[in-house]
Amino acid sequence: MFFTYLRRELRRRRKAALVVASGLALGIALVIIVSSVSSGMSKAQDKVLESLYGLGTDMTVTKAAAAPGSGSGERPKFEFDAKDSDDDETQSTDRVMVQGFQTLASSTVDKVGKQDGVAGAVGGLSLSVMKVDGQFKRGEFKQEGGTGQGGGRGPGGGGSSQPQGEVRGGGASFDVNSYTVYGTDVTQQDLGPLTSSKITSGRTFRTTETNAAVAVADSAYAKEKTLSTGKTVTISGTEFTIIGVSTADSGDAAANLYIPLQRAQTLSDSKNKVTTVYVKAADSQKIDSVKATIQKNIPGTTVTTSADLADTVSGSLSTASDLASSVGKWLSIAVLIAAFLVAGLLTSSAVSRRVREFGTLKALGWKSGRVTRQVVGEALVNGLMGGVLGIAIGLAGAYAVTAVSPTLTAELGSSGGGGGMRGGGLMGGGGPGRQSASKALDIALTAPVSLSIILVAVVLAVAGGLIAGAFGGWRASRLRPADALRRVE
């Protein structure tokens, strides 16, 4: 009887049911779209941060670069051999410098790894290389056509004792090429910037190549310099064989070339030194406490977490994320509340128009509880229909956002803690390589819809139906059979 009456009443009041369901659907669809877009923005920010410090890294430990004028910095100096012959011979020299930060002792890596809450720690050395090469060319002396006055060249000739003319041509032409090198611990390759790149050609390092003259080249740099596996590059007089080419998952790579840490320390005269310690926390919910522990037990260092770095992300990605998390969230909540209220009021209004019907049913023996259950059942079905419609609209909206994939810009600035989480390559500055005060990355926005969002939509649909049913049920429970008799004409 309950379902038969329910089906008949919903069919008879199709327009009213559709209005209630549509109002709930609008609110639920907006919640799905805003939630999926916020999720997409969160993933986009995670992608940006991973491109900076590497997959799996929760924080970095560095030592801020010395202040300008402190005397610790050294200007690059280049020396060339002076030769009397072979004027056209190319002169070439390069200078390898630590980039971005002051160095830390390699023992710091072990100290960090022993702190409570640390699951893993690995050191890295960020370098910049400035290479200068070119040629010196000797000028030619061009003598004037005649001799001195009187034609004499001797002391008594009355003429000049020096030939008349000028030096023409000569000079020097040199090219300056700078690039970045990252020294990676080949025995622990699960942390650090190289983890944010995929090997697209060749192979990565072997754990036995701790001091081998091998290198992995970033794909963009390899394309620029026409490098490939098997070719060699020379860094400060040492030839390195390219064993692989890597491609960054997003944004720029941490360095142009990756080499074993021990080789990088030798090239830069930084034996047993690192610039950055990459740390993975045992519990992602306790990153702040791990940070505090490291700062307390290892003084003089700067600990930067992914949350700290996220605060430095600006641009349209940050603006859109703020809008989605603030304006979008409150807008969806306001629309949802309005939809619930409208559904409740419409249901209550429909009950008022059915006074004679419910009064008659009570006169026939229906109790107030049965009438209330009937009204709540109808409202619940309307809510479920609104939920189905809202999920369909929400999925369509999220799919449209993903299909369009609007491009947002993430502007990455200095974190204020002595540098970012890339070992100085992008965030810290300090070397003449690729680093800059900020860097813009373009990120394509998606709107992934997770199962949890769908479950939230179902809960909201049921809640909307129950709220509307509560309005109508309360109204229906107050009706008396006498009210129906007053409406009889």
Side-chain angles (χ1 to χ4, degrees):
M1 180 66 180
F2 174 81
F3 292 103
T4 301
Y5 191 83
L6 178 66
R7 184 174 63 255
R8 183 177 64 82
E9 289 301 317
L10 289 175
R11 186 180 300 171
R12 189 161 64 92
R13 294 178 172 84
R14 287 191 297 268
K15 291 184 178 179
L18 183 60
V19 171
V20 174
S22 299
L24 291 174
L26 178 61
I28 292 171
L30 187 58
V31 169
I32 292 176
I33 294 174
V34 171
S35 298
S36 59
V37 170
S38 296
S39 177
M41 290 179 179
S42 178
K43 288 187 176 182
Q45 284 191 331
D46 290 342
K47 199 172 183 180
V48 171
L49 299 181
E50 284 178 5
S51 72
L52 296 178
Y53 54 76
L55 185 65
T57 304
D58 293 315
M59 64 190 78
T60 60
V61 180
T62 57
K63 189 174 183 180
S70 62
S72 60
E74 183 179 353
R75 297 176 65 87
K77 182 173 65 175
F78 302 93
E79 297 179 354
F80 299 94
D81 293 332
K83 297 184 179 181
D84 295 329
S85 59
D86 299 329
D87 291 339
D88 294 333
E89 183 175 343
T90 299
Q91 301 276 356
S92 179
T93 185
D94 54 13
R95 180 72 183 273
V96 181
M97 296 163 288
V98 175
Q99 177 178 261
F101 305 107
Q102 293 189 62
T103 56
L104 297 165
S106 296
S107 58
T108 307
V109 180
D110 296 330
K111 291 180 182 178
V112 172
K114 294 177 181 178
Q115 301 301 310
D116 291 338
V118 174
V122 64
L125 185 63
S126 185
L127 306 174
S128 62
V129 181
M130 181 174 287
K131 183 180 178 67
V132 179
D133 57 1
Q135 295 176 337
F136 290 106
K137 187 176 181 180
R138 182 179 299 174
E140 296 181 359
F141 180 78
K142 298 293 185 180
Q143 189 173 359
E144 294 180 356
T147 60
Q149 185 177 2
R153 297 185 57 146
S160 173
S161 61
Q162 300 293 332
Q164 300 296 313
E166 62 180 350
V167 177
R168 297 180 182 178
S173 177
F174 284 84
D175 291 329
V176 179
N177 177 36
S178 60
Y179 56 94
T180 54
V181 177
Y182 175 76
T184 182
D185 189 340
V186 298
T187 63
Q188 301 183 62
Q189 300 185 50
D190 56 340
L191 286 177
L194 187 55
T195 60
S196 63
S197 297
K198 294 180 180 178
I199 300 296
T200 52
S201 177
R203 63 175 177 85
T204 188
F205 299 103
R206 297 191 178 102
T207 55
T208 57
E209 295 175 326
T210 55
N211 197 31
V214 292
V216 172
D218 173 59
S219 57
Y221 184 73
K223 183 178 180 181
E224 178 187 349
K225 301 299 181 181
T226 320
L227 298 176
S228 60
T229 55
K231 290 190 175 182
T232 61
V233 291
T234 302
I235 306 175
S236 190
T238 302
E239 280 195 353
F240 287 80
T241 302
I242 304 295
I243 59 172
V245 176
S246 64
T247 302
D249 292 335
S250 64
D252 289 343
N256 298 134
L257 296 172
Y258 302 88
I259 63 175
L261 176 59
Q262 191 171 337
R263 276 286 181 170
Q265 292 170 334
T266 301
L267 287 177
S268 60
D269 196 20
S270 304
K271 186 178 181 180
N272 297 325
K273 299 289 185 180
V274 296
T275 52
T276 310
V277 181
Y278 298 86
V279 183
K280 182 177 182 180
D283 187 349
S284 60
Q285 303 300 319
K286 298 180 179 180
I287 291 178
D288 290 337
S289 63
V290 175
K291 173 183 177 179
T293 300
I294 295 174
Q295 288 179 323
K296 177 182 177 181
N297 297 334
I298 308 177
T301 59
T302 300
V303 182
T304 307
T305 67
S306 56
D308 297 330
L309 196 58
D311 292 338
T312 71
V313 178
S314 59
S316 59
L317 173 60
S318 178
T319 302
S321 180
D322 292 341
L323 288 175
S325 60
S326 56
V327 178
K329 180 180 69 176
W330 290 111
L331 177 62
S332 61
I333 292 175
V335 171
L336 195 61
I337 292 175
F340 285 174
L341 290 175
V342 170
L345 292 174
L346 288 176
T347 303
S348 179
S349 177
V351 170
S352 299
R353 292 194 298 270
R354 298 166 67 183
V355 170
R356 284 195 300 173
E357 175 186 344
F358 291 135
T360 303
L361 290 174
K362 283 192 173 185
L364 293 175
W366 280 40
K367 296 190 178 297
S368 296
R370 185 175 180 182
V371 174
T372 301
R373 287 195 299 272
Q374 195 69 45
V375 173
V376 171
E378 294 175 11
L380 189 58
V381 172
N382 288 337
L384 292 176
M385 290 192 300
V388 172
L389 183 60
I391 291 173
I393 297 175
L395 290 176
Y399 176 79
V401 173
T402 303
V404 174
S405 294
T407 300
L408 299 177
T409 300
E411 189 78 17
L412 305 166
S414 176
S415 63
M421 303 182 76
R422 275 181 88 158
L426 178 61
M427 305 292 293
R434 297 157 51 244
Q435 66 276 30
S436 58
S438 62
K439 184 72 175 180
L441 300 178
D442 292 331
I443 302 294
L445 177 65
T446 60
V449 180
S450 63
L451 180 60
S452 60
I453 296 178
I454 300 297
L455 292 177
V456 169
V458 173
V459 171
L460 291 176
V462 174
L466 291 176
I467 291 173
F471 273 88
W474 175 80
R475 177 76 177 179
S477 66
R478 294 173 59 86
L479 294 177
R480 296 176 299 169
D483 295 329
L485 298 177
R486 292 193 188 98
R487 299 290 182 97
V488 176
E489 296 179 357

